Amino acid sequence: MFKKKLKEYIDRYVLLDESDFEHFYDSLSIQKFKKKEYLLEKGKICRNYFFIAEGLVRTYDYNEKGIEKIVQFGIDNWWFTNTDSFINQTKSRLNIQAIEETTVLKISKETLDLIYKEIPKIETLFRIITEKTLIAQQRSSYFYMKEDSKTRYYHLVNKIPEFAQRVPQYMIASYLDITPEYLSELRKTSE
Amino acid sequence: MFKKKLKEYIDRYVLLDESDFEHFYDSLSIQKFKKKEYLLEKGKICRNYFFIAEGLVRTYDYNEKGIEKIVQFGIDNWWFTNTDSFINQTKSRLNIQAIEETTVLKISKETLDLIYKEIPKIETLFRIITEKTLIAQQRSSYFYMKEDSKTRYYHLVNKIPEFAQRVPQYMIASYLDITPEYLSELRKTSE
DNA sequence: AAATTCACTTAAGATACCTTAAGAACGAAT
DNA sequence: ATTCGTTCTTAAGGTATCTTAAGTGAATTT
């Protein structure tokens, strides 16, 4: 189950011997969140890095008009956190909330820093995860800067259908940076 | 000079003994770019990570209308690359070009991977650099998603005056994702 | 089962920002 | 000094997207 899922994830990036994996795994704790529960609330310090074993989460904030603005989704098999708050151990400006019932394996900053010293391959793993997160973040920023909302919507629906199916329309609109009304309009127009 | 600048940079993040620093420094090569010269051209593989010792560069592409879209600036004392192309050694979708005469210290992917094994603290350094780059990237994405163009402009001018002074208006417009004409309009309106 | 809330749609008027086109100001090249 | 290219500005009309408001059906609560 979750242990096996994590092992498979790690195997894709580094070669870790059995005892190191066991030691790393023992440093994690498991936690379940119900729909709408918070993994992290704005104003608090993000103490943990989460491996989403199962479920779906979103990172969001409110704009000056009080409207939700979703900045990121996280889905099964992703390592997920608020990087800014976690790395710097400063107050978060964003909320992380479960959209579906979600199970995570989590590790605290202090524990992770210790592990880096004990098992350098875990530091390598997280270097690679951070690189991948950065690349994904840059690709999506550049894409969303260059394309108009219609293109953004069809890209999301076609390339990442898991989201379109599991996430309500109004959240997709928020993520695409358009109003739900306008998204409704777009969907009507083409097809 | 440049060696000292790099040493100061590294000292901020990790403790490296003299011989390790020398070894790392010997793996770098120095290169000068004239105004408008390319550090990386679209379609080619980004072979190097650059430490900008002096100067100013931009990463950009053209949109479907043939108009330049700047996605990032890089300035003195930053480690800079096209992360996607560098890490995956795949063809770049973006150009990196010197805006001013620019001097860099550069290291190739293969050399860097070797160094990671020889000097684990350099791997730690680049883990931290990647974390910082990710945090900066996320902060700016989230900011630019939430704020309108006027706010984005005043934020840029007030918080990062180095750019406003060294970068021509039309490049700032491109980065802010508005037309030069509209930027001109904005500047007029509010004094 | 009725009442209430939630997610989505429709439509009309408003606004932020774009497009085009032309001119002004400045520095670089002849 | 004159010409030329580059950057910035101005203005008119156009378009993408928002705001507000009201309506519908599905889901949840009472």
Side-chain angles (χ1 to χ4, degrees), chain A residues 36-47:
Chain A
K36 299 201 180 174
E37 267 192 303
Y38 288 93
L39 286 73
L40 170 67
E41 281 172 89
K42 185 173 177 169
K44 299 197 173 165
I45 294 171
C46 185
R47 304 287 179 193

PDB file of all heavy atoms in Angstrom, chain A residues 36-47:
ATOM      1  N   LYS A  36     -12.188  19.103   2.661  1.00  0.00           N
ATOM      2  CA  LYS A  36     -12.218  20.476   3.209  1.00  0.00           C
ATOM      3  C   LYS A  36     -11.341  20.702   4.444  1.00  0.00           C
ATOM      4  O   LYS A  36     -11.255  21.832   4.937  1.00  0.00           O
ATOM      5  CB  LYS A  36     -13.651  20.947   3.512  1.00  0.00           C
ATOM      6  CG  LYS A  36     -14.502  20.979   2.252  1.00  0.00           C
ATOM      7  CD  LYS A  36     -15.704  21.890   2.400  1.00  0.00           C
ATOM      8  CE  LYS A  36     -16.497  21.872   1.096  1.00  0.00           C
ATOM      9  NZ  LYS A  36     -17.763  22.611   1.182  1.00  0.00           N
ATOM     10  N   GLU A  37     -10.704  19.658   4.956  1.00  0.00           N
ATOM     11  CA  GLU A  37      -9.778  19.883   6.070  1.00  0.00           C
ATOM     12  C   GLU A  37      -8.493  20.529   5.566  1.00  0.00           C
ATOM     13  O   GLU A  37      -8.118  20.359   4.404  1.00  0.00           O
ATOM     14  CB  GLU A  37      -9.450  18.552   6.758  1.00  0.00           C
ATOM     15  CG  GLU A  37     -10.351  18.251   7.942  1.00  0.00           C
ATOM     16  CD  GLU A  37      -9.830  17.099   8.782  1.00  0.00           C
ATOM     17  OE1 GLU A  37      -9.648  15.994   8.220  1.00  0.00           O
ATOM     18  OE2 GLU A  37      -9.609  17.299   9.990  1.00  0.00           O
ATOM     19  N   TYR A  38      -7.824  21.246   6.471  1.00  0.00           N
ATOM     20  CA  TYR A  38      -6.618  21.978   6.085  1.00  0.00           C
ATOM     21  C   TYR A  38      -5.336  21.221   6.417  1.00  0.00           C
ATOM     22  O   TYR A  38      -5.142  20.803   7.556  1.00  0.00           O
ATOM     23  CB  TYR A  38      -6.591  23.348   6.768  1.00  0.00           C
ATOM     24  CG  TYR A  38      -7.610  24.269   6.170  1.00  0.00           C
ATOM     25  CD1 TYR A  38      -8.887  24.395   6.702  1.00  0.00           C
ATOM     26  CD2 TYR A  38      -7.306  24.998   5.019  1.00  0.00           C
ATOM     27  CE1 TYR A  38      -9.845  25.220   6.118  1.00  0.00           C
ATOM     28  CE2 TYR A  38      -8.241  25.830   4.431  1.00  0.00           C
ATOM     29  CZ  TYR A  38      -9.510  25.933   4.984  1.00  0.00           C
ATOM     30  OH  TYR A  38     -10.452  26.743   4.395  1.00  0.00           O
ATOM     31  N   LEU A  39      -4.455  21.097   5.450  1.00  0.00           N
ATOM     32  CA  LEU A  39      -3.114  20.571   5.689  1.00  0.00           C
ATOM     33  C   LEU A  39      -2.255  21.707   6.241  1.00  0.00           C
ATOM     34  O   LEU A  39      -1.300  21.474   6.978  1.00  0.00           O
ATOM     35  CB  LEU A  39      -2.478  20.031   4.405  1.00  0.00           C
ATOM     36  CG  LEU A  39      -3.011  18.694   3.865  1.00  0.00           C
ATOM     37  CD1 LEU A  39      -4.372  18.815   3.248  1.00  0.00           C
ATOM     38  CD2 LEU A  39      -2.036  18.084   2.866  1.00  0.00           C
ATOM     39  N   LEU A  40      -2.606  22.933   5.862  1.00  0.00           N
ATOM     40  CA  LEU A  40      -1.883  24.128   6.308  1.00  0.00           C
ATOM     41  C   LEU A  40      -2.798  25.324   6.209  1.00  0.00           C
ATOM     42  O   LEU A  40      -3.494  25.495   5.215  1.00  0.00           O
ATOM     43  CB  LEU A  40      -0.656  24.359   5.407  1.00  0.00           C
ATOM     44  CG  LEU A  40       0.080  25.697   5.568  1.00  0.00           C
ATOM     45  CD1 LEU A  40       0.767  25.793   6.930  1.00  0.00           C
ATOM     46  CD2 LEU A  40       1.102  25.903   4.449  1.00  0.00           C
ATOM     47  N   GLU A  41      -2.813  26.149   7.281  1.00  0.00           N
ATOM     48  CA  GLU A  41      -3.630  27.357   7.238  1.00  0.00           C
ATOM     49  C   GLU A  41      -2.761  28.595   7.128  1.00  0.00           C
ATOM     50  O   GLU A  41      -1.682  28.678   7.721  1.00  0.00           O
ATOM     51  CB  GLU A  41      -4.510  27.451   8.493  1.00  0.00           C
ATOM     52  CG  GLU A  41      -5.733  26.558   8.406  1.00  0.00           C
ATOM     53  CD  GLU A  41      -6.502  26.513   9.719  1.00  0.00           C
ATOM     54  OE1 GLU A  41      -7.395  27.359   9.913  1.00  0.00           O
ATOM     55  OE2 GLU A  41      -6.178  25.640  10.563  1.00  0.00           O
ATOM     56  N   LYS A  42      -3.232  29.564   6.353  1.00  0.00           N
ATOM     57  CA  LYS A  42      -2.573  30.854   6.193  1.00  0.00           C
ATOM     58  C   LYS A  42      -2.219  31.441   7.563  1.00  0.00           C
ATOM     59  O   LYS A  42      -3.043  31.384   8.469  1.00  0.00           O
ATOM     60  CB  LYS A  42      -3.526  31.795   5.452  1.00  0.00           C
ATOM     61  CG  LYS A  42      -2.938  33.138   5.096  1.00  0.00           C
ATOM     62  CD  LYS A  42      -3.873  33.938   4.212  1.00  0.00           C
ATOM     63  CE  LYS A  42      -3.289  35.314   3.928  1.00  0.00           C
ATOM     64  NZ  LYS A  42      -4.028  36.036   2.883  1.00  0.00           N
ATOM     65  N   GLY A  43      -1.024  31.963   7.710  1.00  0.00           N
ATOM     66  CA  GLY A  43      -0.627  32.572   8.978  1.00  0.00           C
ATOM     67  C   GLY A  43       0.167  31.624   9.855  1.00  0.00           C
ATOM     68  O   GLY A  43       0.880  32.048  10.756  1.00  0.00           O
ATOM     69  N   LYS A  44       0.038  30.321   9.587  1.00  0.00           N
ATOM     70  CA  LYS A  44       0.808  29.346  10.361  1.00  0.00           C
ATOM     71  C   LYS A  44       2.061  28.925   9.592  1.00  0.00           C
ATOM     72  O   LYS A  44       2.147  29.107   8.372  1.00  0.00           O
ATOM     73  CB  LYS A  44      -0.060  28.110  10.647  1.00  0.00           C
ATOM     74  CG  LYS A  44      -1.293  28.459  11.466  1.00  0.00           C
ATOM     75  CD  LYS A  44      -1.934  27.246  12.090  1.00  0.00           C
ATOM     76  CE  LYS A  44      -3.055  27.714  13.034  1.00  0.00           C
ATOM     77  NZ  LYS A  44      -3.949  26.617  13.400  1.00  0.00           N
ATOM     78  N   ILE A  45       3.006  28.363  10.309  1.00  0.00           N
ATOM     79  CA  ILE A  45       4.237  27.906   9.673  1.00  0.00           C
ATOM     80  C   ILE A  45       4.050  26.490   9.141  1.00  0.00           C
ATOM     81  O   ILE A  45       3.513  25.631   9.843  1.00  0.00           O
ATOM     82  CB  ILE A  45       5.410  27.961  10.665  1.00  0.00           C
ATOM     83  CG1 ILE A  45       5.701  29.426  11.032  1.00  0.00           C
ATOM     84  CG2 ILE A  45       6.655  27.291  10.094  1.00  0.00           C
ATOM     85  CD1 ILE A  45       6.694  29.617  12.156  1.00  0.00           C
ATOM     86  N   CYS A  46       4.485  26.284   7.927  1.00  0.00           N
ATOM     87  CA  CYS A  46       4.343  24.957   7.320  1.00  0.00           C
ATOM     88  C   CYS A  46       5.441  24.059   7.875  1.00  0.00           C
ATOM     89  O   CYS A  46       6.608  24.186   7.517  1.00  0.00           O
ATOM     90  CB  CYS A  46       4.458  25.059   5.804  1.00  0.00           C
ATOM     91  SG  CYS A  46       4.156  23.509   4.957  1.00  0.00           S
ATOM     92  N   ARG A  47       5.067  23.164   8.776  1.00  0.00           N
ATOM     93  CA  ARG A  47       6.063  22.318   9.458  1.00  0.00           C
ATOM     94  C   ARG A  47       6.452  21.092   8.653  1.00  0.00           C
ATOM     95  O   ARG A  47       7.444  20.442   8.967  1.00  0.00           O
ATOM     96  CB  ARG A  47       5.504  21.839  10.807  1.00  0.00           C
ATOM     97  CG  ARG A  47       5.052  22.950  11.741  1.00  0.00           C
ATOM     98  CD  ARG A  47       6.236  23.678  12.334  1.00  0.00           C
ATOM     99  NE  ARG A  47       5.805  24.758  13.224  1.00  0.00           N
ATOM    100  CZ  ARG A  47       6.631  25.702  13.661  1.00  0.00           C
ATOM    101  NH1 ARG A  47       7.908  25.714  13.295  1.00  0.00           N
ATOM    102  NH2 ARG A  47       6.188  26.650  14.447  1.00  0.00           N
TER     103      ARG A  47
END
